[in-house]
Amino acid sequence: MGKLAVLSLSVAALAVLIGERLITLRHVSLSYRELAQNYLPNCDHIEGIEYGAEDITILENGLAFLSTGLKYPGLPSNSDDPGKIYTLNLMDSKMKIKAMNIKGDFDKDSFNPHGISLYTDDKDGAVYLFVVNHPQGNSQVEIFQFVEDENALQYIKTIKHELLHNVNDIVAVGTESFYATNDHYFTNGILKFVEPFLSLSWCDVVYYSPQTVQVVAGGFLISNGINISPDKRHLYVSDFLKHKIVVLEIQKNTVLSHVKEVDVGSLCDNIEVDRESGDLWLGCHPNGLKCVFHDPNDPPGSEVIRIENILSEKPRVTQVYSDDGSVIIASSVATQYGGKLLIGTVYQKALICDLKL
């Protein structure tokens, strides 16, 4: 009878723990949120983008780079084709995307691009594109040089390291150096699920250069998007399941010091920074549970959030766009240029809208 009582108490305790964890997970995933539509004028789908534009970033001259065709565990994949990088000239009224040719000894058949970052070398003006790549489910960083007159990418090198084990996003700070986020601590699929289930804040930010590779910040529940301030003094990291943007100051030794956190009230993915104003533009998932189930009758919505004056005592956080999934599903990035707002998604379409600032 004593053993039965102990077993019964153990089962009851486990049931309570699982119940509490499920309630917590529903809370952090914002499963209760339902969006009211908040549209911008003159929004159109970008022709030719059917399988997502998970990340988008723009050169100073208005040339946008789009990372498309991501295949990621647990998310829908509507195409077996390799991923591609496209360009879109926002100064051209035609607004037509162009697929980039990849030159050099690079395995294009397994290309699975995720986060991207552009870096312009002050010495010679050369432009480099850094791409997070997941061939066969692995995690590595590709460095390409942009060949403008050919709309091509010249393959430079692949970077692999044990600390770069679950890279989500990247921000380049040199021709071979960058900061990157790991969105999980474990690499095993089951243990990856255990992390958010137990609220393990074990994700981190890694600094990489040919001379140094080190973890420079930690304590994230899921570290997702990352970007840098125009003056290169601060990094911004999306702590996805905590619904916060974390501000970190870059020290001389490349280690980061915590400055502040800004609540955004949504599950924000990639971060783009306006090079003139310093404003942050965030592509967000308003309801994480819908992203898990992918119900076509109740699809994940999309939300764009802007943060102004993030380093001030009272940053201004505003919702710029929202949709319940009827127009665009699972937004992951938003960026603006010349009165236009581009919104990309993890696995569906991309949108371009008129924007009045």
Side-chain angles (χ1 to χ4, degrees):
M1 192 68 177
K3 292 181 179 179
L4 181 59
V6 170
L7 179 61
S8 299
L9 287 173
S10 299
V11 171
L14 180 61
V16 170
L17 174 63
I18 292 174
E20 185 273 333
R21 287 289 87 201
L22 289 173
I23 291 171
T24 299
L25 198 58
R26 288 180 64 88
H27 175 73
V28 299
S29 66
L30 303 178
S31 63
Y32 56 86
R33 281 195 77 193
E34 295 292 341
L35 279 186
Q37 293 176 336
N38 177 20
Y39 288 162
L40 290 167
N42 302 319
C43 288
D44 295 296
H45 290 116
I46 298 175
E47 186 177 349
I49 301 297
E50 299 293 337
Y51 309 120
E54 200 280 337
D55 204 2
I56 304 173
T57 192
I58 306 175
L59 282 174
E60 194 169 355
N61 64 3
L63 188 67
F65 291 69
L66 295 82
S67 168
T68 73
L70 174 66
K71 297 167 185 63
Y72 199 76
L75 295 177
S77 177
N78 300 317
S79 172
D80 294 328
D81 294 337
K84 294 182 176 66
I85 304 294
Y86 289 93
T87 56
L88 175 64
N89 187 353
L90 295 174
M91 301 300 291
D92 186 346
S93 60
K94 295 179 182 178
M95 294 290 176
K96 298 292 185 181
I97 61 170
K98 295 181 179 180
M100 303 193 77
N101 180 38
I102 298 179
K103 304 170 64 177
D105 186 18
F106 180 75
D107 182 6
K108 290 182 277 190
D109 291 337
S110 66
F111 193 36
N112 189 13
H114 199 164
I116 59 175
S117 178
L118 288 164
Y119 180 80
T120 303
D121 191 348
D122 292 335
K123 296 178 181 178
D124 58 9
V127 176
Y128 297 86
L129 181 71
F130 289 61
V131 182
V132 177
N133 187 19
H134 303 295
Q136 291 84 43
N138 296 316
S139 186
Q140 59 196 51
V141 174
E142 316 291 356
I143 302 179
F144 304 94
Q145 185 170 349
F146 176 43
V147 185
E148 184 174 6
D149 58 354
E150 300 178 32
N151 194 54
L153 295 172
Q154 177 64 53
Y155 171 66
I156 302 296
K157 67 187 300 185
T158 295
I159 295 171
K160 301 178 184 179
H161 193 276
E162 61 183 7
L163 292 180
L164 300 170
H165 49 81
N166 282 300
V167 181
N168 183 301
D169 197 17
I170 187 172
V171 58
V173 292
T175 58
E176 293 186 78
S177 57
F178 55 84
Y179 290 91
T181 57
N182 284 309
D183 58 18
H184 288 85
Y185 177 82
F186 296 109
T187 55
N188 176 275
I190 295 176
L191 292 178
K192 281 185 176 183
F193 170 76
V194 170
E195 283 183 58
F197 184 75
L198 296 180
S199 300
L200 301 178
S201 298
W202 292 357
C203 297
D204 56 27
V205 176
V206 173
Y207 173 77
Y208 177 92
S209 75
Q211 296 77 32
T212 305
V213 187
Q214 60 182 336
V215 174
V216 289
F220 300 93
L221 194 49
I222 288 182
S223 44
N224 200 311
I226 187 170
N227 218 316
I228 196 166
S229 61
D231 62 9
K232 314 301 182 187
R233 293 177 55 192
H234 294 90
L235 284 182
Y236 308 121
V237 180
S238 173
D239 201 341
F240 189 71
L241 287 180
K242 292 183 181 178
H243 324 137
K244 297 176 183 292
I245 300 300
V246 180
V247 181
L248 303 162
E249 186 174 9
I250 301 173
Q251 306 298 317
K252 290 183 178 180
N253 58 358
T254 71
V255 173
L256 308 175
S257 62
H258 183 275
V259 176
K260 66 189 300 184
E261 298 176 1
V262 178
D263 290 313
V264 290
S266 192
L267 301 160
C268 290
D269 203 317
N270 290 303
I271 303 169
E272 288 297 305
V273 179
D274 188 300
R275 59 176 49 88
E276 294 181 3
S277 67
D279 293 350
L280 275 63
W281 291 85
L282 315 172
C284 306
H285 306 282
N287 185 320
L289 203 61
K290 291 185 179 183
C291 288
V292 173
F293 290 116
H294 320 295
D295 182 353
N297 297 315
D298 188 20
S302 295
E303 186 171 28
V304 174
I305 291 174
R306 178 188 184 190
I307 304 179
E308 300 171 80
N309 303 314
I310 191 169
L311 297 176
S312 68
E313 291 186 5
K314 294 183 179 180
R316 186 181 180 210
V317 179
T318 54
Q319 183 195 76
V320 177
Y321 177 92
S322 65
D323 173 60
D324 61 5
S326 59
V327 175
I328 190 168
I329 293 173
S331 58
S332 56
V333 64
T335 184
Q336 70 88 26
Y337 184 93
K340 296 290 185 181
L341 180 69
L342 275 65
I343 307 172
T345 68
V346 180
Y347 57 84
Q348 196 224 15
K349 298 179 182 292
L351 203 63
I352 186 167
C353 304
D354 288 343
L355 182 66
K356 292 183 179 180
L357 299 177

